[in-house]
Amino acid sequence: MRHSIIVSVLAITLIFTCKIFSQNVEFDKKNFPGIKDQLKAALKELSLGDELYDLALVPNSGNFALALDYYLKAQDFNPNNALLNFKIGRCYLNSFNKTKSISYFETALKLDAKVNLEIHYLMGQAYQLNLEFDKAVKEYKTYKESLVPDELVKYT
């Protein structure tokens, strides 16, 4: 009993510390010592979400909403994973609750500025849909500046 309390306190301390310093926390057993079963369950949710997310990237497949359910369960376990926050943001951006994506994109960016090459473009869309046009323009410009000349030609 005492061992499980100590492990729980250590896990909570780790998560709290990571939140303070805004560091990306990977789904790795070294980051979650002593809570193997919870990590395993979260990884299963993440894996199921990834399968649906990958299918959703195919136009008109509509699996973002299904992936979101799994991702939110994994995020309950580890809210400080940049890639997971990015994927949740993208799922929300492709749902009826589009503006919910903003907080997840912002968190992903704080945790890892290089989480995904498209993050600024997608954040621009989210801000635009939320009628925050100045922020949207800033994000679109940041995205445009990140493109290499060959990619920029596609958008002009």
Side-chain angles (χ1 to χ4, degrees):
M1 175 73 170
R2 183 172 180 202
H3 176 70
S4 65
I5 292 172
I6 291 170
V7 170
S8 296
V9 169
L10 287 173
I12 291 168
T13 302
L14 174 68
I15 291 171
F16 181 71
T17 302
C18 291
K19 270 193 165 192
I20 291 174
F21 295 109
S22 294
Q23 295 177 339
N24 186 40
V25 178
E26 296 296 332
F27 283 88
D28 189 295
K29 62 183 175 185
K30 71 179 182 199
N31 294 327
F32 302 97
I35 48 176
K36 181 180 171 183
D37 292 339
Q38 294 95 324
L39 175 61
K40 186 176 178 180
L43 285 170
K44 182 177 180 181
E45 298 293 336
L46 187 60
S47 177
L48 292 169
D50 282 345
E51 288 179 31
L52 294 165
Y53 180 90
D54 290 343
L55 289 172
L57 294 174
V58 176
N60 301 319
S61 65
N63 289 303
F64 283 113
L66 298 173
L68 182 60
D69 291 335
Y70 293 105
Y71 284 155
L72 290 174
K73 291 174 187 171
Q75 208 236 7
D76 284 342
F77 177 77
N78 180 8
N80 294 309
N81 182 271
L83 185 57
L84 179 57
N85 276 283
F86 171 80
K87 289 178 178 180
I88 292 171
R90 190 172 210 168
C91 288
Y92 273 124
L93 190 60
N94 288 281
S95 74
F96 291 111
N97 298 315
K98 295 179 185 318
T99 57
K100 281 184 101 172
S101 66
I102 294 171
S103 65
Y104 292 97
F105 286 142
E106 288 173 344
T107 299
L109 199 57
K110 285 178 191 171
L111 293 170
D112 180 0
K114 296 181 181 183
V115 65
N116 186 288
L117 296 174
E118 293 184 318
I119 191 162
H120 292 288
Y121 178 76
L122 297 173
M123 284 178 72
Q125 287 182 327
Y127 283 134
Q128 182 177 348
L129 291 167
N130 201 42
L131 307 178
E132 296 180 66
F133 299 115
D134 292 339
K135 288 182 179 181
V137 168
K138 181 182 174 198
E139 293 301 326
Y140 286 137
K141 285 182 179 178
T142 301
Y143 175 69
K144 182 179 176 184
E145 290 167 3
S146 74
L147 298 174
V148 294
D150 291 344
E151 294 172 326
L152 194 54
V153 171
K154 293 183 214 176
Y155 298 103
T156 56

